[in-house]
Amino acid sequence: MRSQQKTNRCRKKNGFHQKPLRIPPDFGTYAERHGLFEMYKRLIESLLINKPQDPLDHLTEVLKRENDDVPSVIIHGPPAAGKTSIARMVCAKLRTAYISQDTLLADDVSPLAAKAKEYIAKNEKVPTELWVDMVKTRLQLFDCIKKGWVMDGFPQSREQALALQEVGISPKHYVVLDAPDSVLIERQMGKRIDPETGGVYHTTFDYPSNAEVERRLVEPPEGCSEESMVDRLVVYHRHTQGLQSCYDKLYKAVNADQPTADVFSQVMTFLSSRQRTLAPHNPRIVLLGPTGSGKSVQAALLASKYNIVSVSSGQLVHEAIANESKIGEAIKPYVDREMLVPDNLILKILDERLSQLDCATRGWVLRGFPPTREQAENLQNEGHEPNRVFFLDVPNDSVYERLTLRSLDAVTGDRYHALYNPPRTTDIKDRSAQQPTDAEDAIRQRLSNYYAFAEEIADFYEDAQHINADQDPHTVFECVESMLVNPLPKRAQVE
């Protein structure tokens, strides 16, 4: 016994067990905000692909010109699927460079383009290596580096796709416009081209309203006959599976047999998505919503499935008081008088809890806090920046129905609901009673407090996701879970 006491005194003297291990929260936040893991991965890939003589100089140049946020898109599909129209619309929307085989060949100053034209003039196939060199040279220009690029209809085969990957050219999104062959043949037979602007029109579905444009229209160089279209479709279908296998994780098929506006909308929705990262990810989740929206239930489900720490500011306050800590003694007078605990005390106990080893290594879900913009700013200034914020939206009528019909068994502590989970026996019903906090006046006051600051807190958390919580808890959990495991869409690409 004395030996154990002596050991404890020595450990206390040397700083052991005085406080839980505190992990600075800004370490992980900084790395995630600036994409350090992805940056390191891209630099290593660049070294392995380019094999420079001086790796350090090469990395310095890559970092100087790197801009990984720009779009890099390939839009593919069978003939007459509308690739060119959608690609040009995407370029106009995202303000990126437009690249196609025609634009590559139209470069009058490029010796590579001149060489490719020689093959075409001889009715010979342009070598894959030459196409790849032309694409690589084009992507090294300033507009592609700074603005990004959209490639229309290239590569056309698995061989060309692999050759692009070998030199480090790979898109972030690969879109395939698909439609039945019968629809494509009908489209091609009515297809017309404006030779001055490159605009694509159709004699039935999209005829120009301008008479001057109408006079300029000509048939496409590949012809409009059904026989030539069938031959082109056969070639396309021969290569489509091989191409898809090269871009399987980036692939999205869009039905092109619908209005152009709908096709474009679906393409843009896909382009606003992000690829999954291989970087270590610790969830830092904030659940907000009115009283009775199910924040505690969702926090418990998340903590159970993903082994993250469920944190409640109210529970931490009661624990601090029960432990008779210094901060608990400072908080106790406010709780005894039923007064609001000052923000600085709440933030202090939250900072201590969220900086502990389990929260730093496993992640955390914080429910019901922060309720105001000021508290959200203070929480972020302490380094605890959430990477997911969910608003659980519930109509007030549903809140009253959920809470006013609840009762508590004074013997067992079990909760019951008159509609969804009524007491199983008469004895339980007789001894169960409504809690004062579930009275209508108390609920009305809590709802008023929440909505007084709801708009400003929503403005602060711009990337927050709103979820309809007026449904089964497990259905709500599926919505939360889908947004948790998948990257959030890019707001900049969706208006």
Side-chain angles (χ1 to χ4, degrees):
M1 182 68 176
R2 290 180 180 178
S3 176
Q4 182 64 39
Q5 291 176 346
K6 183 178 180 181
T7 301
N8 290 339
R9 285 197 298 271
C10 291
R11 294 173 68 87
K12 185 175 181 180
K13 181 179 179 181
N14 288 283
F16 292 101
H17 294 316
Q18 290 189 15
K19 286 185 179 180
L21 179 61
R22 187 182 192 279
I23 305 296
D26 51 342
F27 284 7
T29 303
Y30 178 85
E32 184 176 313
R33 184 187 303 122
H34 296 282
L36 297 187
F37 185 94
E38 292 84 356
M39 183 189 300
Y40 179 78
K41 176 175 174 286
R42 290 194 300 272
L43 292 176
I44 294 299
E45 287 177 348
S46 181
L47 285 176
L48 295 176
I49 291 171
N50 294 282
K51 302 179 181 66
Q53 293 296 326
D54 191 332
L56 292 180
D57 286 347
H58 175 77
L59 293 179
T60 302
E61 290 300 318
V62 171
L63 289 172
K64 284 181 179 179
R65 59 180 172 82
E66 184 182 72
N67 186 3
D68 191 59
D69 288 334
V70 300
S72 52
V73 184
I74 291 179
I75 295 183
H76 212 280
K83 301 184 295 297
T84 300
S85 298
I86 295 299
R88 290 189 179 276
M89 292 172 68
V90 170
C91 287
K93 178 75 172 179
L94 303 182
R95 299 179 181 178
T96 62
Y98 171 78
I99 302 173
S100 68
Q101 289 178 302
D102 290 339
T103 60
L104 293 174
L105 292 171
D107 187 351
D108 295 332
V109 299
S110 170
L112 296 174
K115 190 174 180 180
K117 291 176 184 177
E118 293 177 4
Y119 282 98
I120 295 175
K122 299 175 185 178
N123 290 325
E124 296 179 2
K125 181 180 178 182
V126 179
T128 296
E129 295 77 12
L130 183 54
W131 279 122
V132 171
D133 288 342
M134 293 168 65
V135 171
K136 184 177 180 181
T137 302
R138 179 66 182 89
L139 296 185
Q140 290 173 346
L141 297 183
F142 179 82
D143 58 343
C144 290
I145 294 175
K146 292 299 180 182
K147 298 180 181 180
W149 49 270
V150 175
M151 197 177 304
D152 172 14
F154 189 86
Q156 296 180 332
S157 66
R158 176 179 170 84
E159 176 191 6
Q160 292 175 341
L162 294 177
L164 288 176
Q165 292 175 355
E166 287 178 0
V167 297
I169 300 174
S170 182
K172 296 176 184 175
H173 298 90
Y174 179 74
V175 181
V176 175
L177 306 181
D178 200 10
D181 287 355
S182 57
V183 173
L184 298 172
I185 293 172
E186 182 182 1
R187 285 187 180 182
Q188 183 65 21
M189 294 176 68
K191 184 177 179 180
R192 297 295 184 269
I193 304 292
D194 182 349
E196 290 191 11
T197 64
V200 180
Y201 298 91
H202 194 277
T203 56
T204 303
F205 308 116
D206 185 23
Y207 209 62
S209 56
N210 189 310
E212 184 177 347
V213 174
E214 180 182 345
R215 286 192 295 270
R216 292 200 304 258
L217 294 185
V218 297
E219 290 190 1
E222 62 272 13
C224 297
S225 67
E226 182 176 349
E227 293 77 10
S228 64
M229 184 60 177
V230 170
D231 292 339
R232 295 171 63 202
L233 285 172
V234 169
V235 174
Y236 169 78
H237 290 305
R238 183 185 304 152
H239 295 290
T240 182
Q241 292 298 325
L243 276 170
Q244 182 178 336
S245 66
C246 293
Y247 301 112
D248 193 42
K249 295 183 179 180
L250 319 171
Y251 170 83
K252 173 69 174 179
V254 176
N255 177 21
D257 187 16
Q258 53 183 330
T260 303
D262 294 337
V263 176
F264 177 67
S265 175
Q266 293 179 30
V267 170
M268 289 303 302
T269 299
F270 174 60
L271 297 185
S272 70
S273 66
R274 300 174 186 264
Q275 298 179 30
R276 287 198 182 189
T277 174
L278 298 177
H281 176 71
N282 281 342
R284 300 186 302 275
I285 308 167
V286 167
L287 297 178
L288 299 173
T291 180
S293 58
K295 299 183 292 293
S296 298
V297 173
Q298 297 305 317
L301 291 172
L302 288 168
S304 174
K305 181 165 185 178
Y306 293 101
N307 194 32
I308 58 181
V309 182
S310 179
V311 180
S312 166
S313 58
Q315 183 178 345
L316 291 178
V317 166
H318 293 302
E319 289 178 357
I321 295 173
N323 293 335
E324 298 182 352
S325 61
K326 290 183 179 181
I327 192 170
E329 293 176 358
I331 290 174
K332 192 173 186 301
Y334 296 96
V335 177
D336 291 342
R337 298 171 189 173
E338 297 184 355
M339 298 172 60
L340 291 176
V341 180
D343 288 352
N344 63 320
L345 297 178
I346 294 291
L347 286 169
K348 187 172 182 180
I349 60 174
L350 274 174
D351 180 45
E352 290 182 359
R353 183 66 187 94
L354 298 180
S355 299
Q356 291 180 17
L357 184 62
D358 56 350
C359 287
T361 56
R362 290 158 45 194
W364 46 265
V365 52
L366 176 61
R367 58 187 188 272
F369 189 94
T372 68
R373 183 187 181 100
E374 182 181 0
Q375 291 173 332
E377 291 173 347
N378 292 333
L379 184 67
Q380 184 164 305
N381 292 336
E382 292 291 334
H384 304 293
E385 183 178 344
N387 49 28
R388 292 292 188 278
V389 178
F390 299 104
F391 283 90
L392 305 183
D393 299 329
V394 180
N396 289 349
D397 292 344
S398 297
V399 170
Y400 285 114
E401 180 184 279
R402 288 184 180 188
L403 300 185
T404 58
L405 299 180
R406 291 195 308 186
S407 60
L408 180 69
D409 186 343
V411 176
T412 64
D414 294 334
R415 284 190 179 274
Y416 296 95
H417 193 278
L419 295 179
Y420 308 122
N421 182 29
R424 292 182 295 274
T425 66
T426 304
D427 291 339
I428 295 177
K429 182 178 180 180
D430 292 339
R431 67 181 186 232
S432 298
Q434 185 188 60
Q435 293 293 98
T437 54
D438 289 341
E440 279 197 26
D441 291 341
I443 296 171
R444 188 177 298 110
Q445 183 60 46
R446 297 204 300 277
L447 286 173
S448 177
N449 293 339
Y450 170 76
Y451 286 113
F453 302 100
E455 186 174 347
E456 67 176 30
I457 194 71
D459 289 340
F460 181 78
Y461 289 123
E462 294 181 341
D463 290 325
Q465 306 295 307
H466 287 261
I467 295 176
N468 175 20
D470 191 20
Q471 48 188 337
D472 179 78
H474 292 283
T475 303
V476 177
F477 178 67
E478 290 178 0
C479 297
V480 173
E481 186 179 28
S482 66
M483 297 178 187
L484 176 63
V485 300
N486 293 318
L488 294 177
K490 297 179 181 178
R491 289 187 298 109
Q493 292 189 0
V494 180
E495 297 181 359

